[in-house]
Amino acid sequence: MVWASWTTPGVFTGRGGARTVEAGILTGDLTVHTTWDGRVADVAVQYSGTSQWYTLSGSPVPCRSERGSRELHQAVVESIREDGEVTVPLTHSTAAS
């Protein structure tokens, strides 16, 4: 079985926060975690230092490669730091990579 995961703590949200399925908008100091199972990438966030994870809206997304899932993770981290109501972006390069 193929899989990979990435975790980035200390991601401070822009004004719009990160939209989650379970809790709505989260703002502040978040940890972002992406897991790739060889077919899809699941992205979750939590308040840094807590144990409860929340699914980022739009997750999971189709992703054909480990590299594509890593790029997706980084894109989500960067988007959360910017203004806007962040959800998981489905980009052509992610789906095709």
Side-chain angles (χ1 to χ4, degrees), residues 30-72:
L30 303 180
T31 296
V32 180
H33 181 77
T34 303
T35 304
W36 175 69
D37 69 2
R39 295 173 292 118
V40 298
D42 289 293
V43 183
V45 296
Q46 70 177 183
Y47 286 109
S48 292
T50 66
S51 61
Q52 180 67 43
W53 287 98
Y54 302 96
T55 305
L56 197 61
S57 291
S59 181
V61 295
C63 191
R64 296 184 187 147
S65 72
E66 183 176 342
R67 178 179 164 188
S69 63
R70 176 66 180 111
E71 290 170 356
L72 172 67

